Every structure is written in C-alpha cells, then in structure tokens.
Amino acid sequence: MQTTSIQYLKGIGPQRAKSFTARGVQTIEELLYYFPRRYEDRRNFAKISELNESQVYTIKAQILSAGQRNWRRRSAFSITEAAVGDNTGKISCIWFNQPYLKEYLIAGACVILYGKVERYNSRLQMSNPEFEFLDNQDNDSLNIGRIVPVYTLPQGFSQRGLRCIIKNALDEFLPKINDPLPFDLRSRHHLLNLAQSLLNIHFPQDLSLQQQAHTRLSFEEFFLFQLPLVLRKLNRKEKIGISHLVSGRLIEDFISGLPFQLTAAQQKVLAEIKADMASSQAMQRLLQGDVGSGKTVVAAIACLAAIQSAHQAAFMAPTEILARQHYEKISSQLEQLTFNGRKLRLALLVGQDKQKQKIYQKIKEGEIDLVIGTHALLQEELSFKSLSFIVIDEQHKFGVGQRALLPKKGNNPDVLIMTATPIPRTLAITLYGDLDISVINQLPPGRIPIKTLQFNQEDRNKAYALVKQELNYGRQAYIIYPVIEESYALDIAGAKKMFGELKAGEFKEFRLGLIHGKLKTREQNEVMLKFKNKQLDLLVATTILEVGIDIPNATCMIIASAQRFGLSQLHQLRGRIGRGNLQSLCILISDSQTPESKARLAAMVASGDGFYIAEEDLKIRGPGEFFGNRQHGLAELKIANPLIQMQLLKAARDEAISLINQDARLEERPHQLLKAKLFQRFPEYEKLMLVG
C-alpha cells in the first residue's frame, strides 16, 4: 500500500492520477492521508424558513433562477446572483466578481450551499457561499444524511467523485493496514488504532469520533517528527566539532565597513553564535528573526569566522531567486575584504548552472571560501575540502532529513538554521528540541512601519485606486491571490483569471506580470528579474511570493481573500514590501465575518511585530479548534497543528525521548513497524541517523 500507485484505483487511471500528483498524492497511503479541510453536518439540513441573520448554515435547495449584473455600471466588478428554494421558502445567493459562475448555476439543479446568512436591505441572503451540485439519484450515504468531508480538490474532480474514490480505497485497504504506534503507547494516551482513525477522519460516525481520530493522527505526526530530532540531539552530544577563531581583522573590517550599525539584538545573537563556534562542540542553532530584522548580515559574519579559521562555509536557500539575492547582497558586502593577501572567493551554485562541474572542482580543492546555493548543495557529487560552517535559510522550506544532509559534507560543521517565521519561544523549544535558539526581535533603525488596512470586496476599487497612486509615483506593487485556478466552490478569484481581467481593465495602462508555483523555475526567475529591474509595475502572484527577493521600490500590496491565509503567512507576504525607506501599504480584502478571521485580520492591522502576531495566532486559534491552516510552515505535518495542540506535542516528544533512550535504533520487535514508517516519512534518516 505504501508504494501502490493510485492510478490503479477504480475511477482514477494514469491521466487523472496526474491531478493527484500535483497535490502531492501518488500512492494509496498518501491518498488515505489526504485529509478533509472541513466538514458539513448534513444529518439535518437547515430549512430556508428557519435561517437567521449572522449564522452559518448548510442548506439543500433547488436553483430557481440565476443571473449576472455589473456593480454600479462598472464592468470590472460583477455580481452573480441565484435564487434558490426548498419547500419552506427561498433565499438569494450572491457571488462577487466571479462571472464564470453563470456557466454552472442552471435553473432546476439541486445544490447544497454552505455559507453565512446576512441581511441586505430588508432581505436575507447568502454571500459567497460554497456550493456542491447533487443529481436526482444522489441519496447515498457519502453525501447526504451524515457528517460529510469537504476536501481541497485536485483539478478535474468534484467533491462527490473524490469522496467515492477515497471511500473505495478505505474499504479495500483498511483491512490490510498495520498500525505503526505500539499498543502500549496507544493505551497510555487512549488513542484509536490507525484503521479506526483513518475511517473517522474521512467519514466520521459522529463528531466525538472525528475528534478522537484527529487526536490520534496528530499524535502520530508529532511522534514521527520528534523521533529524528531527539536522536539528532543524542548524536550531537557525542560529536566533537571545529573550534573557530571568532575574532580577528577580517570580521572587524567587515563590521566597520557596513553602512549601518548592528542593532543590540543582532549583537546579542552574534555573541551567542560566536560562543558556539569557538567551542569544540558542534553548533546546532536556530536563529529566529522577523522579516527585515538583519539575520543575513549576522550569518555573513559567522561565515567570515569560518573563513578566517582556514575553513569553508556554505549558505543554502530554498529557491534560486533567494539564493541569487543572498549571493548578490553578500558579494557586494565582502568585495572589499581581503584574507591572507587575497580577496574572498565566493560562488553561486544552483540547479541549472552550466558551470556546475567547475564550481564542484573548486570547492573540492578549497578554492572557494563561501558557496551560496539551493538544493544543488545537497548533490552527492559535491564535496568540500574543509566545510566547517553551514547556514540554512528559511529552514521550514526544507524537510528535517534534507537539513541533515548538508552537514554530512563536513567534519561535524557548525550549523545555523534561520527562519523569518516567528514562533513563540516555548513552542519553538518543543518543535526544534535538537537546536539552541536565538532571537532577533528588533528591526534596524530608520525602517518605516508598514501601514495595514482592511477593505471589503465591494470597496476593492478604493484599494485599486491606492495602488494606482503608488504606481503613478513610479513605485511597484503586488496583488496576491490564494489559488492559481479559480474555484467555483469557493469565493476566490484565481490569480490567472484576475491577471487577465486586471491587465485588460483596472490596470491596463500599467505593465503587469504573473508568477505562481506552476511556472517553471526559469520562468519564475525571468518574471522576478523583470520586476526587480522595474520592467514591470504590478506583479500578480500566489503565495510563492511568501519567500521572495527584496524589491525596495515595491511599496504596496493587496492580499485578496485574506481570510484564506494563515496569520503567519499573511505576515510573511506583507514582509515583501517595506524593504526600502518609503512608506508602504498592505491592503487586506475580505468579507469574512467569522470570529477567527476577524481576529486574525485585526491582529494584522494592529501590529507589524511578527512575534506579537505569533502569540496572537496562538490565542485566536485556541485549544478548541481541530482544523485550520497550518501556521508553522512545517511540511512534515499534514494534520497536526502545534499552535493549538501543544500538550499533545509535548506528550509525543516525551514518548520519543523515552523510546530513543530505550531503543535508539528501533531494533526491538514492537518497534519494527514504527521504524519502517519513520524511514518512509524521512528516508534520509535511514542512511544518516539510524544505520551504522
């Protein structure tokens, strides 16, 4: 089941399997772990006559009529409206600026709608409801009369079709499934077995079982995540590293040549890093710092400590765009420095580099002091003469196992892991238990705080006017959308579609570009380079921009459907502006009235401090919520959320510590299934951590 392709499941086949691959699902097991994003209780649909203002409902109705009109005669903003009814009454449903919906809303069709009821003038209506079509024969137990899962859909699938596929997979493969968690561990924490959990996470018998399934699967993820961390910390204590020379002319010349003074927070963190690097024990340190706090210059100084100690340093970034930015920035800062009578030797190493083999050879022979690159640094054929210091930037974009690969190219080098995603300290200690933690909680002097505003959908033209004002000043701007393709089931306008509409409408006099994750790396780089070189005025983008390059001339950002983003993600996106000495403006567009989204957006408007936002996120989401967008950015966690399950995370960590102390290599018989599952999730650890 672990390796069986989903293309062999009934209803999929090779062609449709490609849509799942785009969602990271290739095997039967990955399909079973493709969890719902929310649920609808369809055991009792609300009757239209019973709907009340300001409440969220699920109703079953028939489309009576549908039409479309422009808002206040402005062709760039349309309203699609449908009247729906059941045997108790009727209600109007409206969708803003989604003209493609008229192709789907056909009179006579039976539809399930989910959304908030609001009062407009004197009548009730549903604004931007999600909806799903039913046919006349659709009375089966997967879609009606139960708690129904709602998924993020692979392209070309409907909710009904996907439910059927997942149910078939569960029926066929659950009897064959083996539980990796030992029985005694499950008993101690009153956890369901894996088969029960998977069945009730997809098709829960009741809300209590759904919650128990969520707890069990979250514990499993936390436990598997913690095992390698605990083992790494155990191994780290046994390793002797490299003692670096942390003071000297090279570092002094660099700091004195900077056009600014280091902040007190930077100096404190630098002292912590120097103390580690001077020690003979290998450093493993996490550096947290808000967007623009000056983490890179601290990392550059640490690299110089390695170089003046006659060793090499490596700096790994998650994208080619970011790697090139670091290379250009650090190269310009170091170009006047000399060491042993020569200039410092830097190299950029990315996946498509034609000079890759020459760079490999120079690194191997010690002719490169500092190499900055992407995942290309992890290639087996790359070897260093004497690698003693490593920087891993935006660490959450790399897997746990990936982060362990690069240090293997040196003799227990010191490792500095950086993140611009602030995490409350107590949570960070638990999540990154194998690391020491440093924090830069101070922005450089002179940085102008970003002003943040929130607008409703109907006021988006006011937002556009503010963007145009900035563009007319010769500045640049971003408009961010949460998805690439539009989805008629959600109130989201896709980046591709809106790019076309904006280019032909509101911003036709400006130069627009489009960037998203489905573009090839080369195409992404070309678009970003054009934007950087001011050949584009406005960049329409998806969340790929969350980790991006610095454009000091970009002073304005609109984030559409802002309620669809996590709070930390919103903060990261906002950090793409305000990089220069100009006042910048971030505009959040959202009509959502849910308590959580209102609190989340209010926190964004109130503060630009990432650590404050992280704390607010923890308060807002609270222990009572079981689902939601993951704010931590950890790719290994698909269902668990450390921000709202801290006690469960701590319990899983305690169990991991106990198990590693008892059976570090998981060789005892009760741990064999767990060992296989761990190697499946983190294959690098089979080679790097648990063998030999």
Side-chain angles (χ1 to χ4, degrees), residues 536-552:
L536 297 173
D537 304 306
L538 178 64
L539 193 60
V540 178
T542 58
T543 53
I544 189 174
L545 204 70
E546 185 181 351
V547 176
I549 62 175
D550 294 343
I551 309 290

Side-chain angles (χ1 to χ4, degrees), residues 74-297:
R74 293 174 182 168
S75 59
F77 192 80
S78 64
I79 292 178
T80 304
E81 183 171 6
V84 303
D86 61 14
N87 58 7
T88 70
K90 63 181 181 179
I91 190 171
S92 176
C93 301
I94 63 169
W95 294 265
F96 297 108
N97 215 38
Q98 299 179 65
Y100 47 86
L101 290 184
K102 64 182 180 182
E103 301 174 16
Y104 301 99
L105 301 173
I106 307 300
C110 187
V111 65
I112 290 174
L113 298 113
Y114 172 84
K116 187 173 184 179
V117 174
E118 299 171 330
R119 187 170 298 279
Y120 181 74
N121 292 332
S122 59
R123 64 175 186 170
L124 295 179
Q125 68 178 26
M126 270 190 170
S127 298
N128 295 310
E130 296 185 28
F131 62 87
E132 177 184 335
F133 289 105
L134 297 174
D135 59 41
N136 294 330
Q137 307 301 317
D138 202 343
N139 294 310
D140 65 271
S141 60
L142 295 186
N143 306 293
I144 301 291
R146 65 173 305 131
I147 299 169
V148 176
V150 179
Y151 299 90
T152 298
L153 291 174
Q155 188 173 0
F157 286 85
S158 66
Q159 291 289 348
R160 293 174 62 248
L162 183 55
R163 287 183 201 120
C164 186
I165 287 169
I166 290 177
K167 184 62 165 60
N168 289 340
L170 288 168
D171 290 344
E172 182 176 354
F173 290 98
L174 275 193
K176 307 172 187 177
I177 205 163
N178 294 312
D179 198 325
L181 296 187
F183 177 78
D184 60 336
L185 185 154
R186 298 202 310 269
S187 298
R188 278 195 297 276
H189 297 279
H190 309 290
L191 300 175
L192 296 180
N193 65 39
L194 182 55
Q196 288 175 303
S197 301
L198 289 174
L199 182 61
N200 282 283
I201 205 67
H202 287 288
F203 301 102
Q205 294 178 29
D206 55 47
L207 291 176
S208 174
L209 279 171
Q210 178 267 321
Q211 293 172 8
Q212 291 180 58
H214 184 268
T215 298
R216 149 60 209 235
L217 293 166
S218 298
F219 185 96
E220 178 183 315
E221 287 194 334
F222 284 143
F223 186 56
L224 288 172
F225 182 77
Q226 288 295 319
L227 280 171
L229 298 183
V230 173
L231 189 56
R232 282 178 63 184
K233 190 160 190 175
L234 183 68
N235 289 348
R236 175 186 156 198
K237 290 179 179 178
E238 302 171 356
K239 292 180 178 179
I240 301 300
I242 298 165
S243 180
H244 289 94
L245 178 65
V246 296
S247 60
R249 184 68 180 272
L250 188 59
I251 290 177
E252 291 171 3
D253 288 349
F254 175 75
I255 294 176
S256 63
L258 291 172
F260 52 82
Q261 285 192 328
L262 297 178
T263 64
Q266 286 175 309
Q267 292 175 11
K268 178 178 180 292
V269 164
L270 188 55
E272 294 170 346
I273 293 170
K274 282 183 173 182
D276 281 354
M277 294 186 72
S279 166
S280 60
Q281 187 178 32
M283 178 179 81
Q284 290 282 336
R285 184 167 289 276
L286 173 69
L287 175 56
Q288 287 196 87
D290 213 343
V291 177
S293 62
K295 298 183 299 297
T296 304
V297 70

Side-chain angles (χ1 to χ4, degrees), residues 563-590:
Q563 76 280 0
R564 301 289 180 191
F565 296 88
L567 188 48
S568 294
Q569 193 175 38
L570 286 170
H571 181 64
Q572 288 288 300
L573 289 167
R574 179 170 61 181
R576 293 302 106 214
I577 57 175
R579 312 293 288 190
N581 57 3
L582 300 169
Q583 175 67 64
S584 293
L585 176 65
C586 178
I587 302 169
L588 311 173
I589 296 182
S590 172

Side-chain angles (χ1 to χ4, degrees), residues 388-449:
S388 73
F389 182 70
I390 293 166
V391 181
I392 301 177
D393 192 21
E394 294 297 342
Q395 57 79 29
H396 60 278
K397 299 295 183 181
F398 299 98
V400 175
Q402 283 183 311
R403 297 200 300 266
L405 284 172
L406 190 53
K408 292 295 174 181
K409 296 182 181 293
N411 184 20
N412 298 331
D414 290 338
V415 179
L416 181 66
I417 295 172
M418 303 200 303
T419 179
T421 304
I423 303 171
R425 187 173 181 83
T426 54
L427 180 58
I429 290 170
T430 310
L431 272 179
Y432 303 105
D434 59 328
L435 307 175
D436 298 311
I437 297 174
S438 292
V439 175
I440 300 179
N441 55 4
Q442 182 181 10
L443 290 178
R447 184 66 62 85
I448 302 174

